[in-house]
Amino acid sequence: MIQEKGLIFDAVTAVGATFAQQTHTGRSLSSAQRAQIRDHCSFFRRMIDSRMSNPSSFQNTTFLFSLQLLAFMELMTDVTGERWNQLIRQLRPLFTRQESHSIATYSFNTSIFKFTRMSYAIHNITFNDKLFIDSTFKEVPESIPKAFGPQEKSPRNHPERIDTLIQMLERWAYLNIRSLKWIRCVREEQACSAFPPYSPSEGIAHEGLQIIDMACAFQQDIINVILQHTEGGPASGTQVGDTMEPYYRWILTGLCRMFAAPEWLSRGWKLPIMPAELSNEQALIILNSAEKSVARVKLEAIFYGTVMSLVGGYLSSAGDRERVIKLLKSVEDRGFAVALAFEADLQHEWGSNKAQP
């Protein structure tokens, strides 16, 4: 795929140079060399941007691969993560019903398209919450694949385990989108309600109960997969299994966190949430696994930063929080400036929940 003066060549060169600049290797670079890297990265961004408006670009595997490399570059250089956000949002045509024929041009099992699905799902999980808090939030797209239903069989090999993880992330993203829309509907209806106490209309109540029902079934599926990765399970003791386990526990804790909004808690419904002690236990297991895994990865380190930016909020002791900051520092040392945004978000959350000794 890598041909001199081709798009892939420019992508790999830009990301490799950026990685070197952002890590310890880059300390020896001169000002002129740094300027040359910035110019090359800007040129690469313009190349990708110029092809974004053409729908046929998304049917080109070379373009899609280059776009994912650009995504890594943005996570390395942008401390806010906003450029990554804007870039991944532009993948939406791949997943909308109107552009479903685009997906058909790919083998659904190709590695690059799997990674694209994973990136898009993680984006919808991490950024929709921020957009919802933001006053500019209007609407989240219903463009996540809805691969619902119980797991028919246990994944037996690496490709099947990757497929299962992606499907789990997509299911979580889809439920998160529906939950955010439901909360918005409740708030709007409550604002128009003349007589307290507020009670949701039949339609909104039905939607809420349907989301809960789907989340409960999803929660059981996640637990079943986690059991496959624990001691004695078919995926336990393997590097692949050990690497994936933190992600499943992240999904489990994130699903519970989804129902922490007062709009859910005030209804008196039975929700798929964990007691605080169990949430803290899950967060510690994830932290332990992430610490072991991040030591042996490079670009993949960014995924553990994303995981800890959510589950770190469940950790209450000063010692555990220091471990999270140290892990995020490891992610930053591997070239990802966006780790600073993860730390800032956690520090803000911890500010309202003082650490225990």
Side-chain angles (χ1 to χ4, degrees):
M1 293 178 70
I2 300 179
Q3 297 178 357
E4 190 169 358
K5 299 187 182 302
L7 184 59
I8 296 291
F9 177 83
D10 288 328
V12 172
T13 303
V15 172
T18 302
F19 181 75
Q21 178 180 258
Q22 295 293 111
T23 56
H24 297 294
T25 309
R27 292 177 180 174
S28 60
L29 295 174
S30 66
S31 298
Q33 288 173 319
R34 291 178 180 274
Q36 187 178 17
I37 290 173
R38 286 195 298 271
D39 290 344
H40 185 72
C41 291
S42 297
F43 173 73
F44 176 48
R45 284 192 187 98
R46 290 195 298 271
M47 285 183 67
I48 295 294
D49 188 60
S50 67
R51 303 186 186 195
M52 279 288 193
S53 59
N54 186 352
S56 64
S57 295
F58 292 95
Q59 300 175 29
N60 186 302
T61 304
T62 296
F63 173 77
L64 204 58
F65 180 70
S66 300
L67 189 148
Q68 291 299 331
L69 288 177
L70 176 58
F72 273 107
M73 194 179 83
E74 302 299 18
L75 291 169
M76 291 179 194
T77 56
D78 180 13
V79 296
T80 68
E82 183 56 33
R83 288 206 301 265
W84 179 81
N85 169 35
Q86 295 296 331
L87 181 67
I88 300 301
R89 282 178 65 185
Q90 294 185 73
L91 292 172
R92 187 183 176 188
L94 275 173
F95 301 96
T96 54
R97 297 186 189 92
Q98 292 85 349
E99 299 291 338
S100 59
H101 64 277
S102 296
I103 294 180
T105 65
Y106 293 99
S107 168
F108 204 61
N109 293 318
T110 57
S111 297
I112 183 58
F113 193 61
K114 284 181 180 180
F115 189 79
T116 302
R117 289 169 58 202
M118 189 175 185
S119 299
Y120 192 68
I122 291 175
H123 169 269
N124 277 277
I125 291 163
T126 56
F127 268 89
N128 278 332
D129 286 325
K130 295 179 184 295
L131 288 172
F132 185 73
I133 294 171
D134 193 325
S135 60
T136 62
F137 176 88
K138 299 294 183 184
E139 184 180 5
V140 286
E142 285 188 356
S143 54
I144 292 291
K146 308 172 186 62
F148 272 90
Q151 289 292 122
E152 295 181 0
K153 60 181 181 179
S154 301
R156 296 165 297 180
N157 50 47
H158 179 57
E160 289 185 3
R161 291 188 182 113
I162 292 291
D163 289 341
T164 298
L165 176 60
I166 294 172
Q167 289 168 14
M168 292 289 186
L169 287 168
E170 289 174 338
R171 289 172 69 179
W172 178 20
Y174 173 65
L175 277 173
N176 191 49
I177 287 172
R178 287 190 62 174
S179 175
L180 290 174
K181 285 192 170 186
W182 183 83
I183 292 171
R184 173 55 57 89
C185 289
V186 168
R187 290 180 181 178
E188 291 176 348
E189 190 176 73
Q190 192 169 12
C192 298
S193 179
F195 305 101
Y198 164 74
S199 181
S201 64
E202 182 179 350
I204 290 180
H206 176 76
E207 170 69 4
L209 292 171
Q210 187 178 57
I211 293 171
I212 293 171
D213 185 59
M214 295 176 77
C216 288
F218 182 35
Q219 185 182 60
Q220 187 58 55
D221 281 350
I222 300 169
I223 293 172
N224 290 339
V225 174
I226 289 174
L227 290 175
Q228 297 169 20
H229 289 76
T230 54
E231 188 174 355
S236 65
T238 66
Q239 183 172 336
V240 173
D242 293 343
T243 301
M244 289 186 177
E245 184 184 354
Y247 295 112
Y248 290 119
R249 294 186 185 274
W250 172 48
I251 296 170
L252 182 64
T253 54
L255 183 67
C256 296
R257 187 186 178 101
M258 197 176 80
F259 292 98
E263 288 78 9
W264 286 112
L265 297 173
S266 61
R267 300 277 69 81
W269 294 333
K270 187 175 180 179
L271 301 170
I273 56 178
M274 294 184 287
E277 300 81 8
L278 185 55
S279 296
N280 187 79
E281 178 184 322
Q282 290 295 314
L284 279 174
I285 294 173
I286 295 169
L287 177 57
N288 291 336
S289 298
E291 285 175 330
K292 294 176 183 177
S293 298
V294 79
R296 57 176 182 254
V297 298
K298 292 188 181 296
L299 291 180
E300 304 96 310
I302 185 59
F303 294 108
Y304 294 104
T306 305
V307 168
M308 293 315 305
S309 69
L310 184 149
V311 300
Y314 286 107
L315 297 170
S316 55
S317 77
D320 291 336
R321 291 180 177 183
E322 288 176 6
R323 289 171 61 194
V324 172
I325 297 303
K326 184 178 179 181
L327 187 144
L328 291 176
K329 178 61 177 174
S330 295
V331 175
E332 183 188 356
D333 288 343
R334 281 160 177 75
F336 292 99
V338 74
L340 295 171
F342 295 151
E343 180 180 348
D345 287 345
L346 279 174
Q347 294 287 10
H348 178 75
E349 185 174 353
W350 289 339
S352 57
N353 297 291
K354 292 187 177 180
Q356 299 173 2

